[in-house]
Amino acid sequence: MDEKSKTLRLEVITPDTSVFNDDVEFVLVRALDGDLGIMPNHAPLIASLSIWPLTYTKNGTEKQISVAKGFLEVSGNKVTVVTPAAELPENIDVKRAQAAKERAERRLENKAENIDVERAELALRRALLRLDVVKTFSGK
Ligand code: ATP
């Protein structure tokens, strides 16, 4: 029988690029029906993801990637996340996220304006996600 692996491969893919591809010890995501922790040698699985930080552990250190929806597949000791948008903390443009947050908040506050509320709420959640991941990364 194969020896059990102590790591698993994590790959995060967007329509533009592969954001992350490395061996890690643990992956934690928020699926639509709750949190999902994935250790090496996990059984095959498919889940739909929320707008939430993906947390992974590498060499005993926890790090985060912002992931805005998409799918996760676990198969053959590999976790593949396919998502419309994902960013490493160091690639998040804070000013842009702050501007997106303020824009969405303005739209939601201004009831007179004929806006798509769900779209504004999703934009706000993406902006808050990015600001949260940057904050955790910079330790503030
Ligand atoms: P914005 O209104 O600023 O475009 P958004 O939430 O509508 O924000 P998305 O549609 O989620 O943006 O993403 C479009 C692309 O831009 C994706 O590739 C995403 O990774 C990137 N992106 C969005 N916001 C940021 C940010 N603050 N920093 C870095 N990349 C970002």
Side-chain angles (χ1 to χ4, degrees):
M1 218 177 114
D2 284 351
E3 204 182 306
K4 294 248 177 198
S5 178
K6 290 195 172 72
T7 60
L8 70 167
R9 173 61 59 141
L10 170 64
E11 182 162 24
V12 179
I13 305 166
T14 70
D16 299 326
T17 187
S18 172
V19 172
F20 186 92
N21 193 2
D22 204 351
D23 292 327
V24 301
E25 291 122 37
F26 182 64
V27 178
L28 179 69
V29 292
R30 178 149 298 185
L32 294 187
D33 51 1
D35 285 355
L36 211 55
I38 301 142
M39 309 235 289
N41 313 296
H42 195 286
L45 172 84
I46 289 182
S48 227
L49 298 177
S50 189
I51 297 174
W52 202 259
L54 175 155
T55 305
Y56 64 90
T57 309
K58 179 155 176 82
N59 300 327
T61 304
E62 268 192 10
K63 294 196 173 161
Q64 291 193 322
I65 302 172
S66 59
V67 173
K69 293 191 178 269
F71 293 93
L72 166 145
E73 182 193 36
V74 185
S75 174
N77 207 32
K78 179 172 181 183
V79 175
T80 308
V81 171
V82 181
T83 173
E87 302 91 29
L88 301 179
E90 58 267 36
N91 293 334
I92 292 176
D93 179 338
V94 177
K95 277 191 187 151
R96 177 175 168 180
Q98 192 64 42
K101 173 179 176 280
E102 283 161 19
R103 200 164 52 241
E105 281 173 343
R106 252 192 332 269
R107 285 184 177 142
L108 290 168
E109 273 164 24
N110 189 352
K111 302 280 185 218
E113 212 182 311
N114 190 15
I115 62 147
D116 182 339
V117 172
E118 195 189 349
R119 188 173 159 190
E121 280 172 354
L122 290 172
L124 179 59
R125 284 174 58 197
R126 289 195 300 274
L128 291 173
L129 164 75
R130 290 171 179 134
L131 293 171
D132 184 39
V133 166
V134 166
K135 205 168 138 197
T136 309
F137 169 63
S138 60
K140 284 182 200 141

